[in-house]
Amino acid sequence: MEVVQSHRKSSSNNVIVSTLPLYRSAPPLEVRLEDFELFAMDRLRVLKGISDGLGRGKKPEEMEKLIADLWKANMRHPQANEEANKDIISHFVLRLVYCRTEELRKWFLSMETTLFRYRFRFQSSEAQRALMSEFKLPYKAVSNAEFESVKDKLGQVARSMGQTLAAADAIFYKVPFEEVPELVAGRRVFIHKGHAYVAMNQVVSLVVTQFRSYLSKALILTNRRVVGILAIVIILVDISFLVLRGYLTNPRKWTSTVREQEKDRLAPIVEALCTSYLGPDYSQENEVGEISLKDIYQIAKTSFPLCMRHLFEKVREDHHLKHGGRMQLGLFLKGVGLKLDDALAFWKAEFAPKVSAERFDKEYAYNIRHNYGREGKRTDYTPYSCQKIISSTPGVGDHHGCPYRHFSEENLRAALVRMGVSSRAVEDVMDKVRNRHYQLACTLTFEAVHGSSCDAGINHPNQYFIDSQRIMQSKDSAYLLELKKSCQVFSFALDEEPLCSVWL
Amino acid sequence: MTKEEAENGRDDMAIDGAEQANAVPDGFDANYLRIYYGKLFPHADMFKWMSYGNDGKHPACDRSYFGRREFSFTLENDIYIRFQSFNSVIELENSIKEKCPFKIDIGPVYSVDPAKRHAYAGDNVFTPVERELVFDIDITDYDDVRYCCTGADVCLECWPLMTIAIKVIDAALRDDFGFNHILWVYSGRRGVHCWVCDGKARRLTNEQRTAIADYFRVYKGNENSHKKISLPGPVLHPFLARSYTEVLKGFFEAKLLPNQSLLSSEDRYEKILEMIPDASVASELRGRWQENKRASMSKDDINLVRWDQLKSVLQSGKQKTQGIRRCVEEIVFSFTYPRLDMEVSKHMNHLLKAPFCVHPKTGRVCVPIDPNNCDEFDPTTVPTLSQLVEELNREGLRQDAENEWDRTSLGESIKFFRTTFLQPLLKSCKEDIESSYNAKLQQSKNTLSCRTQSNHLCPNVYSHLFNPVINAVEDQN
């Protein structure tokens, strides 16, 4: 067993200082095997709750309360050191699980960073300052006298960002402007003679950025180590298998493999996990194969999900789409396999009655090329997942978003009927919509339109398209291959006996 | 002129066979460039500047510093050679005189001599380590808000846009960022360059440079909107507020508005009306102005009258949305606020034209501009190459070949460069070198005294190591 030196100078056997852990290294603690799984699942509930909250677009005050409640419900322990143990252990167990792929790492990093940010805000000022020095941030507090002399300007800066300079925020730090480039770039600080006056809440962002950067590197390192290890504790395997299978299999079928007493606790999580998008991102055009321009019109009728059908119809009808719609539909078409030249031809032709060719080239072509990663910083943008589309906020004149969420009931019914969904199926769909299960509604629509079941559930418009095409063409698709690939990762581990637990 | 020649009997006026000394053609000429580099271009000053105090006299000088600076030359026929470097002022001067480049660009100081870069393998071995913070402002970026000229032309009506850009940026560089050694240079045709030469500035990373450029950026293109400037928030950031009240507002209302007739005709005032987010307000003003196409009642400039009307409508208490009230500032900003070329400032390895070059298209010399008197700078009276050669001819040959520039119009610029920029900069550099040297000495002395106290090392060995250093300090004193 690898013994790792704890970074806490004051640590003795069981007394651990009750500050926010930074998860720099795994401490040598003894834990019962059952606790591995229990701790991790509890933490996963917290992280999932955060993910849901963010997905529903909760405001910061709401998130604050949500996280406090989640933590209290899942991670609290009457003994402070036990609570700290659970905190640390659960984090490291989940690290093992979530280090395996880029998507998992991204999700875990995002949730842990959010959790850290809000927990940091709950800390006392002394605790925050202590944490800042752990991160080696060289900030000096502004004296009262100096504060008075620059108070006006600080207030001006705050108000320019739509905030106020509350008395509680009167703690400012003075740093060389070179240390805070993001704040300088956004004009979010007052700068004078080379020094930036950084507000307490801005310091939080800087600390969080450090935390995030460290965890990101640690996850990649962890992944490398996991690959080299021969034996993995079966509990870990269970958890990771749950996580991956959660989105691969029908939650109804899955619950039969779980022990009775676990079902109530875990089933909701898995069902929720099912809707959390942790799968392929459809950014690689060549994985899916090419689609030519003339095919688009045909397949739009048969294989597009409702959100994309609507956008497609609207652009043909109005000869225009606003930005949100262009992004959602444009990236979807890219994922479907439409090449850049065909995409340019498509949009240009559809816009032609309203937009001249020169104006199109000047105002729209660049953005389309940008989406394909041919301009600017050459980012190859990924098509939006259901989660992202559901959480978007279409405004007046927009047609993007998720129809199951954003349409009125009558509009949605009419649209479903136009798609060819039977009236009985429409009722089932509307029932899901009323319960806010938008993706399950889309899944039922899929099943009704294609006359076959969709085990995995819909998590991504491109997934809908691929599944639909597969049924249409009745042959293996890249998606099945992806499924198989993901299963292989853990299939070997299922056969292994648990030998020992290893701390990384 | 020929009479004078004959009277004075000078036969050395026959420079390059141009015997008719008064018939010096205008514009740019490669032969005159040779004369310029021979007699006027301040090689020694450029060397001193680029050395930043590392000119070899102090023991703590970095002798390799100047040799690691990249220069690039653009020769006749557009031949471009990069990664030129020189180890002394003589090398620099000879190379320029010999190659006679049409343009000289200055790049960063690299980790190793750029001429030897291929000898070093591996990533990040040949990499920029220092580079001035630079800005480039070009008047063609303002083409959508000036009507007097387009493209490369500049006149006294639109040049003031550059002047106010200098004022805004210069004030921010000094007051906000605390920089002191700032050189503004006329680019020779249609813009200005800024060189920030403080040590702190030279050592900024690309990320920090980008942050500063973003701090200065206000103009942002917006999809489907007519407004490219958006100033959200109930108040402006102190930097923007100061720029507005001290520079932009006054200039816009007193100069730009009337000189460019921004509100006098329909196509011009439409552009401004498009920036108003509330269609009803815009149409109210449009209606009023369409009625009064002919001469207005008062003798006042129609632009000023209409601007007052616009302000009173937008800023009246009736307007609920803050976006409307802010509109006035946004209009002023969109016309007058500096438009920087972001790419120039963001990267350490960006090459920028050296001051005192001659612009090939106009023949004008890239002279420094005094930011404290930039209102008086007139781009149409900047010395040209032919003018300078003519002045040289007129004055004739003197005994001392030094400081020939002093007899020409260039003299003023070079004196300005030396007294207001170069000398203070070098003084500050020397002080920095001295103090960091002393700090290091002090540190080693402390170590020595600690160690001798604990008797860990043989004092003899130590004094042998230390003696050269101590002697050098004594020599200097």
Side-chain angles (χ1 to χ4, degrees):
Chain A
M1 187 146 153
E2 210 180 284
V3 175
V4 178
Q5 186 75 18
S6 169
H7 73 292
R8 289 185 198 287
K9 298 185 188 112
S10 58
S11 68
S12 50
N13 287 339
N14 281 322
V15 177
I16 294 183
V17 177
S18 59
T19 55
L20 214 49
L22 295 180
Y23 316 109
R24 288 286 169 92
S25 51
L29 299 169
E30 289 184 8
V31 189
R32 297 176 304 156
L33 220 53
E34 307 89 82
D35 286 341
F36 270 42
E37 181 181 6
L38 293 176
F39 288 179
M41 290 313 290
D42 284 344
R43 193 186 191 89
L44 192 56
R45 249 185 232 104
V46 175
L47 296 184
K48 196 62 195 58
I50 294 175
S51 180
D52 268 347
L54 292 174
R56 287 177 202 276
K58 282 193 193 283
K59 301 201 194 70
E61 312 82 59
E62 294 171 309
M63 285 302 292
E64 228 178 71
K65 179 165 189 316
L66 173 68
I67 291 176
D69 290 342
L70 283 167
W71 191 266
K72 199 163 103 171
N74 294 291
M75 301 295 289
R76 269 284 140 83
H77 197 287
Q79 282 174 278
N81 58 310
E82 291 293 328
E83 185 172 327
N85 284 2
K86 181 171 174 175
D87 185 357
I88 297 171
I89 290 163
S90 59
H91 173 90
F92 277 94
V93 172
L94 286 183
R95 247 200 227 185
L96 286 173
V97 173
Y98 278 87
C99 69
R100 299 296 291 126
T101 71
E102 180 62 39
E103 295 87 44
L104 293 178
R105 284 198 290 271
K106 214 160 126 180
W107 184 87
F108 181 69
L109 187 64
S110 188
M111 298 309 130
E112 280 285 337
T113 304
T114 308
L115 178 62
F116 180 81
R117 169 180 291 125
Y118 282 94
R119 287 179 75 197
F120 184 85
R121 279 156 62 142
F122 294 151
Q123 301 288 306
S124 68
S125 327
E126 294 86 52
Q128 287 177 339
R129 268 199 280 277
L131 278 161
M132 272 161 58
S133 61
E134 282 216 49
F135 279 114
K136 298 190 177 37
L137 295 173
Y139 294 3
K140 293 195 195 62
V142 167
S143 68
N144 282 336
E146 192 176 357
F147 178 75
E148 285 304 313
S149 69
V150 292
K151 200 165 72 167
D152 282 340
K153 294 276 162 30
L154 298 178
Q156 225 181 327
V157 174
R159 276 175 296 147
S160 77
M161 296 187 286
Q163 299 165 9
T164 51
L165 194 62
D169 291 331
I171 304 169
F172 273 79
Y173 290 85
K174 195 167 157 186
V175 280
F177 77 88
E178 293 96 324
E179 303 273 334
V180 288
E182 318 89 23
L183 296 176
V184 168
R187 288 194 293 270
R188 297 205 290 276
V189 280
F190 173 63
I191 310 178
H192 185 65
K193 294 293 183 203
H195 286 100
Y197 290 78
V198 182
M200 191 63 211
N201 59 357
Q202 293 170 320
V203 171
V204 172
S205 328
L206 295 159
V207 170
V208 169
T209 308
Q210 296 278 335
F211 174 83
R212 191 195 172 94
S213 147
Y214 175 79
L215 184 55
S216 173
K217 291 181 197 137
L219 279 173
I220 294 176
L221 279 176
T222 308
N223 184 35
R224 288 196 196 139
R225 288 180 182 171
V226 166
V227 169
I229 285 171
L230 296 174
I232 300 176
V233 177
I234 209 163
I235 309 296
L236 298 176
V237 168
D238 260 357
I239 295 169
S240 49
F241 195 61
L242 285 179
V243 164
L244 282 178
R245 278 191 65 182
Y247 85 91
L248 292 177
T249 60
N250 186 326
R252 292 191 289 271
K253 288 182 187 161
W254 178 88
T255 48
S256 60
T257 68
V258 180
R259 295 192 297 276
E260 265 307 309
Q261 67 259 44
E262 300 289 301
K263 197 159 63 168
D264 295 324
R265 282 198 316 131
L266 294 173
I269 298 173
V270 176
E271 175 148 9
L273 276 179
C274 180
T275 58
S276 163
Y277 195 67
L278 298 171
D281 61 9
Y282 306 101
S283 60
Q284 301 303 314
E285 298 156 43
N286 27 343
E287 272 180 17
V288 188
E290 275 186 37
I291 295 287
S292 78
L293 192 49
K294 57 177 168 39
D295 294 337
I296 284 283
Y297 298 93
Q298 183 53 41
I299 59 177
K301 289 196 199 115
T302 58
S303 297
F304 278 15
L306 183 57
C307 52
M308 302 304 173
R309 267 179 77 109
H310 177 68
L311 283 167
F312 195 78
E313 276 168 18
K314 277 295 160 188
V315 74
R316 304 204 64 204
E317 197 181 297
D318 295 342
H319 304 295
H320 191 265
L321 265 189
K322 293 187 88 173
H323 181 257
R326 292 201 302 275
M327 289 300 285
Q328 190 174 311
L329 181 60
L331 289 172
F332 170 75
L333 292 174
K334 182 174 88 148
V336 155
L338 191 67
K339 291 291 163 206
L340 174 61
D341 294 329
D342 284 341
L344 285 165
F346 167 74
W347 290 101
K348 199 164 184 172
E350 293 303 332
F351 276 29
K354 285 204 176 150
V355 179
S356 71
E358 300 91 55
R359 209 185 119 204
F360 180 85
D361 287 335
K362 198 168 159 190
E363 296 180 25
Y364 297 96
Y366 180 89
N367 282 320
I368 298 171
R369 281 200 303 278
H370 205 285
N371 284 351
Y372 279 74
R374 307 279 210 276
E375 298 283 0
K377 62 180 165 135
R378 318 270 145 147
T379 313
D380 206 13
Y381 291 95
T382 56
Y384 297 167
S385 66
C386 285
Q387 210 169 28
K388 179 155 182 176
I389 291 172
I390 288 170
S391 56
S392 64
T393 49
V396 176
D398 284 324
H399 295 291
H400 62 276
C402 176
Y404 299 99
R405 180 173 176 215
H406 296 115
F407 276 24
S408 66
E409 185 163 323
E410 26 175 310
N411 284 345
L412 183 56
R413 274 176 195 279
L416 290 170
V417 165
R418 272 206 306 280
M419 264 182 97
V421 179
S422 72
S423 45
R424 200 169 43 118
V426 168
E427 289 316 313
D428 289 341
V429 169
M430 297 314 292
D431 180 58
K432 290 289 177 210
V433 166
R434 264 176 240 122
N435 289 315
R436 295 205 255 158
H437 297 312
Y438 308 119
Q439 285 167 253
L440 293 176
C442 191
T443 312
L444 285 179
T445 307
F446 181 94
E447 289 178 345
V449 166
H450 294 83
S452 59
S453 69
C454 170
D455 289 349
I458 300 296
N459 296 306
H460 200 295
N462 287 87
Q463 174 207 349
Y464 183 112
F465 174 79
I466 290 171
D467 288 351
S468 171
Q469 287 289 91
R470 180 165 55 87
I471 290 174
M472 297 292 166
Q473 294 162 23
S474 309
K475 61 183 179 187
D476 263 357
S477 71
Y479 176 64
L480 265 188
L481 248 88
E482 198 66 28
L483 274 180
K484 285 179 189 165
K485 265 192 246 167
S486 313
C487 283
Q488 268 163 14
V489 165
F490 284 95
S491 58
F492 80 93
L494 281 181
D495 301 324
E496 294 280 343
E497 298 264 354
L499 293 175
C500 60
S501 73
V502 183
W503 276 116
L504 299 165
Chain B
M1 287 293 259
T2 329
K3 215 166 145 199
E4 280 178 36
E5 264 186 72
E7 278 175 13
N8 295 329
R10 292 181 195 147
D11 56 358
D12 55 346
M13 292 299 284
I15 297 170
D16 286 68
E19 316 254 9
Q20 310 93 310
N22 55 335
V24 174
D26 241 344
F28 189 84
D29 180 278
N31 293 322
Y32 297 134
L33 194 60
R34 203 168 289 281
I35 301 170
Y36 178 77
Y37 285 137
K39 294 182 185 290
L40 296 174
F41 184 84
H43 302 276
D45 295 276
M46 297 297 281
F47 168 77
K48 279 191 199 144
W49 171 21
M50 290 286 127
S51 300
Y52 288 99
N54 286 303
D55 51 8
K57 291 182 189 130
H58 193 283
C61 280
D62 180 353
R63 305 259 175 111
S64 73
Y65 187 84
F66 182 72
R68 289 185 282 121
R69 167 82 66 170
E70 178 189 359
F71 293 88
S72 78
F73 290 167
T74 307
L75 308 179
E76 205 162 358
N77 302 325
D78 281 338
I79 299 170
Y80 184 63
I81 37 179
R82 266 197 79 173
F83 299 113
Q84 302 292 288
S85 60
F86 313 101
N87 290 315
S88 66
V89 61
I90 301 186
E91 272 184 44
L92 172 74
E93 187 169 346
N94 287 345
S95 184
I96 291 178
K97 282 180 178 166
E98 183 212 338
K99 295 192 169 79
C100 203
F102 277 29
K103 186 161 85 112
I104 303 173
D105 288 302
I106 301 176
V109 178
Y110 283 94
S111 50
V112 297
D113 184 342
K116 300 186 187 130
R117 64 195 182 281
H118 297 304
Y120 300 89
D123 299 328
N124 287 336
V125 178
F126 174 66
T127 185
V129 293
E130 276 192 22
R131 206 270 192 276
E132 294 77 5
L133 175 64
V134 292
F135 297 96
D136 180 358
I137 306 173
D138 192 321
I139 208 158
T140 52
D141 288 337
Y142 291 75
D143 275 356
D144 61 330
V145 295
R146 57 175 185 150
Y147 297 104
C148 49
C149 314
T150 50
D153 298 327
V154 166
C155 69
L156 287 177
E157 297 296 335
C158 51
W159 178 259
L161 286 166
M162 297 288 102
T163 305
I164 52 170
I166 293 176
K167 286 186 186 173
V168 168
I169 304 289
D170 192 72
L173 288 172
R174 287 178 206 273
D175 294 342
D176 297 2
F177 291 99
F179 294 127
N180 294 311
H181 303 287
I182 301 172
L183 178 71
W184 288 92
V185 185
Y186 174 53
S187 76
R189 185 159 64 150
R190 60 190 195 201
V192 294
H193 297 159
C194 177
W195 298 76
V196 185
C197 304
D198 296 54
K200 261 198 339 173
R202 300 198 311 268
R203 291 185 276 273
L204 290 170
T205 63
N206 285 353
E207 190 197 1
Q208 289 157 345
R209 287 162 204 262
T210 307
I212 297 176
D214 278 329
Y215 180 82
F216 286 135
R217 185 165 69 129
V218 174
Y219 188 96
K220 284 172 198 176
N222 214 339
E223 182 82 32
N224 289 333
S225 79
H226 296 292
K227 266 199 305 180
K228 305 278 170 48
I229 299 249
S230 183
L231 299 172
V235 304
L236 296 175
H237 184 279
F239 159 61
L240 298 178
R242 177 190 70 215
S243 307
Y244 181 73
T245 49
E246 287 179 17
V247 182
L248 303 180
K249 177 173 195 281
F251 172 75
F252 180 80
E253 294 183 346
K255 296 270 168 58
L256 196 67
L257 187 57
N259 291 354
Q260 298 284 338
S261 298
L262 294 177
L263 288 173
S264 53
S265 63
E266 185 174 336
D267 47 281
R268 289 198 190 178
Y269 65 60
E270 259 321 303
K271 262 179 57 170
I272 293 184
L273 290 178
E274 272 175 1
M275 296 185 202
I276 301 175
D278 186 328
S280 59
V281 169
S283 50
E284 183 190 329
L285 289 164
R286 188 180 291 117
R288 240 196 270 184
W289 296 343
Q290 271 168 350
E291 279 167 29
N292 293 333
K293 268 189 195 150
R294 302 285 165 176
S296 58
M297 312 285 184
S298 68
K299 284 179 291 176
D300 293 330
D301 189 298
I302 192 173
N303 298 290
L304 299 175
V305 166
R306 286 182 173 172
W307 179 247
D308 279 335
Q309 288 173 350
L310 186 148
K311 272 200 295 185
S312 65
V313 169
L314 286 178
Q315 288 175 336
S316 82
K318 280 192 296 177
Q319 301 300 350
K320 299 290 180 193
T321 14
Q322 182 199 291
I324 307 286
R325 300 171 73 88
R326 176 70 65 236
C327 209
V328 173
E329 280 99 330
E330 284 174 352
I331 294 172
V332 172
F333 268 83
S334 65
F335 277 89
T336 59
Y337 184 84
R339 301 181 188 189
L340 305 174
D341 185 341
M342 300 284 289
E343 289 310 307
V344 169
S345 310
K346 283 204 253 192
H347 301 288
M348 280 177 98
N349 57 6
H350 196 101
L351 294 160
L352 192 65
K353 182 159 67 176
F356 296 108
C357 280
V358 179
H359 197 296
K361 299 219 170 68
T362 59
R364 297 210 188 266
V365 180
C366 302
V367 292
I369 301 176
D370 182 358
N372 296 324
N373 285 323
C374 49
D375 286 314
E376 278 146 36
F377 181 80
D378 182 349
T380 60
T381 60
V382 170
T384 63
L385 184 59
S386 47
Q387 175 192 341
L388 291 173
V389 170
E390 191 179 333
E391 285 168 2
L392 273 180
N393 287 349
R394 229 185 301 151
E395 297 296 323
L397 189 64
R398 294 273 180 79
Q399 285 291 346
D400 58 293
E402 301 272 326
N403 296 348
E404 297 226 29
W405 45 261
D406 212 358
R407 301 186 266 129
T408 66
S409 322
L410 197 62
E412 211 181 295
S413 295
I414 294 193
K415 280 203 276 258
F416 173 80
F417 177 78
R418 283 184 182 180
T419 49
T420 55
F421 172 72
L422 189 59
Q423 278 154 15
L425 172 66
L426 292 179
K427 179 159 177 272
S428 157
C429 286
K430 300 273 189 202
E431 280 165 9
D432 285 344
I433 291 178
E434 184 71 45
S435 62
S436 68
Y437 178 69
N438 287 338
K440 276 197 192 127
L441 260 189
Q442 194 57 41
Q443 211 179 28
S444 8
K445 272 189 187 157
N446 288 342
T447 327
L448 170 62
S449 62
C450 282
R451 285 193 173 178
T452 50
Q453 273 168 19
S454 55
N455 284 326
H456 275 172
L457 279 159
C458 170
N460 285 337
V461 172
Y462 241 70
S463 61
H464 166 70
L465 285 173
F466 257 58
N467 272 337
V469 172
I470 294 167
N471 285 340
V473 173
E474 283 168 10
D475 282 346
Q476 197 190 14
N477 291 342

